[in-house]
Amino acid sequence: MNTLRIRRPDDWHLHLRDGAVLSGVIGDTTRHFARAIIMPNLVPPVVTTADARSYRERIMAAVPAGDRFEPLMTLYLTEHTDPDDVEEGKTSGLITAVKLYPAGATTNSHGGVRDLDKAMPVLERMAKIGLPLCVHGEVTTPEVDIFDREAVFIDEKLDVIRRRLPELKITMEHVTTKDGIDYILGADRNLAGSITTHHLIINRNAILVGGIRPHYYCLPVAKREHHRQALRKAATSGDKRFFLGTDSAPHVDPLKECACGCAGIYTSINTMSCLAHVFEEEGALERLEAFTSLNGPAWYGLPANEETIVLEKRAEPITFPEKIDTDAGAITVFDPMFPLTWAVR
Ligand code: NCD
Ligand code: ZN
């Protein structure tokens, strides 16, 4: 198979930032993707429907002329989030999901939730009105090893929320472990998982072997090889519960290449090429469309895109820039460490 036509993909987990970074990166998403769930972890975060409305306007103003793009807005859940405001956001059609960051779990998450009990009134309302919760599934307790944080979160937090609110629809975002995959597979309903491009390609060696490589550092951190294999199996299975959320997370190089570098990998520009490569390796090209373009909209109750894109396998490797330039500085592009031959026509 040398060409593949699929419905235009969507990205169910994306960081666009604001200001000069937003303007510098958004074209890499809108070139291929019709919609994206926009993460609310700005500084300060997007906590109210009014914040989300003005952020959406800034995003729309940055969309390159000629591109059509629909940002699906989220609210950053805090212990003070007002259930009425959340409901207003959903009813007005602005808000697609609410995002739970355990406090301190990742970039710009210090305002996240410490005590889940305090967020229960909002979660109860969301269950009632059918608004999904997107979860960054890692505990932040210092005693828990960083490579175990996802598995412990499932046992100690996610399972508790699901028992208390079985009607709440939960997306476990950027699943990185076999534990996460198995937990989703074992749930009878109201649970799905997004998977990133990079977690299908790298394991933890990429970060640490032969020197410390900050451009492969993200959160949740890449795990052992058998976890990567489990993610590949799930993503390429066609199972409706798994879909793409790139978690493309731009940081300018000085913030990555320093003594305490930020977490985040920038993949928007080459994600479709990387994914076609992965799906071809797994003998599953015919299921790429389910992962990038069908399962996500079905989960979020939205129609699949009518437009299509065509992927073509080239005889010679295609190249992407090593870095993109923005008015805020250079941002390094994810290097999959193998030649890419699939191009979006
Ligand atoms: C994200 C960021 O930079 O905002 N970083 C990352 O490594 N993925 C935050 C997140 O999604 O965890
Ligand atoms: Zn993210």
Side-chain angles (χ1 to χ4, degrees):
M1 205 194 296
N2 285 321
T3 63
L4 181 65
R5 182 181 288 278
I6 62 171
R7 287 188 190 242
R8 187 172 283 280
D10 302 303
D11 184 349
W12 301 96
H13 180 130
L14 176 66
H15 298 270
L16 283 177
R17 317 300 190 201
D18 217 338
V21 175
L22 167 63
S23 316
V25 301
I26 188 164
D28 287 343
T29 289
T30 60
R31 195 175 302 124
H32 299 157
F33 296 89
R35 296 170 289 199
I37 283 201
I38 310 300
M39 286 298 119
N41 63 332
L42 303 181
V43 188
V46 178
V47 291
T48 64
T49 293
D51 295 340
R53 190 165 285 122
S54 71
Y55 184 31
R56 186 180 197 283
E57 282 164 14
R58 300 196 296 282
I59 293 170
M60 291 313 289
V63 172
D67 285 1
R68 267 203 301 275
F69 180 65
E70 193 185 347
L72 303 171
M73 306 309 292
T74 60
L75 294 177
Y76 181 112
L77 182 63
T78 74
E79 295 177 359
H80 311 286
T81 299
D82 173 6
D84 290 338
D85 183 59
V86 170
E87 180 160 356
E88 193 306 279
K90 158 145 169 104
T91 314
S92 68
L94 179 73
I95 300 300
T96 299
V98 173
K99 175 73 187 243
L100 167 64
Y101 287 104
T106 186
T107 316
N108 306 333
S109 66
H110 35 269
V113 176
R114 267 162 234 286
D115 179 358
L116 262 176
D117 284 340
K118 296 211 172 109
M120 281 317 277
V122 180
L123 300 182
E124 281 161 10
R125 183 74 65 88
M126 289 165 60
K128 194 169 141 212
I129 64 178
L131 184 63
L133 179 71
C134 290
V135 172
H136 182 110
E138 290 191 288
V139 293
T140 53
T141 356
E143 304 78 58
V144 178
D145 189 281
I146 191 164
F147 291 99
D148 298 334
R149 288 181 172 194
E150 184 170 294
V152 174
F153 181 88
I154 293 168
D155 289 347
E156 291 184 358
K157 305 284 180 193
L158 185 53
D159 203 58
V160 175
I161 303 175
R162 292 189 57 242
R163 277 170 207 275
R164 280 174 75 169
L165 286 172
E167 296 309 321
L168 180 64
K169 244 178 123 148
I170 301 180
T171 311
M172 193 178 165
E173 301 202 280
H174 42 49
V175 181
T176 60
T177 57
K178 179 166 191 306
D179 311 66
I181 298 295
D182 289 345
Y183 184 72
I184 291 166
L185 290 174
D188 55 343
R189 67 200 180 105
N190 287 340
L191 184 66
S194 68
I195 300 177
T196 75
T197 308
H198 50 279
H199 288 113
L200 296 171
I201 294 174
I202 60 164
N203 63 29
R204 63 194 201 175
N205 282 6
I207 313 164
L208 297 168
V209 172
I212 185 154
R213 297 178 198 277
H215 297 294
Y216 293 111
Y217 173 60
C218 65
L219 287 170
V221 71
K223 309 294 192 302
R224 285 178 180 275
E225 177 61 9
H226 76 270
H227 294 295
R228 186 181 75 106
Q229 292 300 336
L231 299 176
R232 280 196 166 216
K233 197 170 159 201
T236 59
S237 68
D239 189 312
K240 283 190 161 8
R241 290 168 290 187
F242 300 106
F243 44 82
L244 174 65
T246 64
D247 196 12
S248 184
H251 294 279
V252 293
D253 283 351
L255 295 177
K256 299 276 301 168
E257 299 168 1
C258 58
C260 184
C262 291
I265 298 180
Y266 185 66
T267 55
S268 290
I269 192 170
N270 58 5
T271 271
M272 291 311 296
S273 296
C274 289
L275 289 175
H277 181 101
V278 166
F279 276 67
E280 184 178 41
E281 271 184 349
E282 298 292 326
L285 271 175
E286 72 282 5
R287 290 192 287 276
L288 179 63
E289 183 181 44
F291 183 66
T292 62
S293 318
L294 300 176
N295 296 350
W299 169 251
Y300 283 101
L302 296 168
N305 298 310
E306 288 300 334
E307 282 181 23
T308 57
I309 62 165
V310 175
L311 288 142
E312 276 176 354
K313 191 173 166 137
R314 302 272 164 84
E316 296 298 324
I318 56 163
T319 53
F320 288 92
E322 207 176 303
K323 299 171 190 293
I324 61 158
D325 280 319
T326 76
D327 287 345
I331 294 166
T332 293
V333 170
F334 174 64
D335 172 6
M337 296 179 281
F338 48 71
L340 290 167
T341 51
W342 284 92
V344 178
R345 191 190 279 165

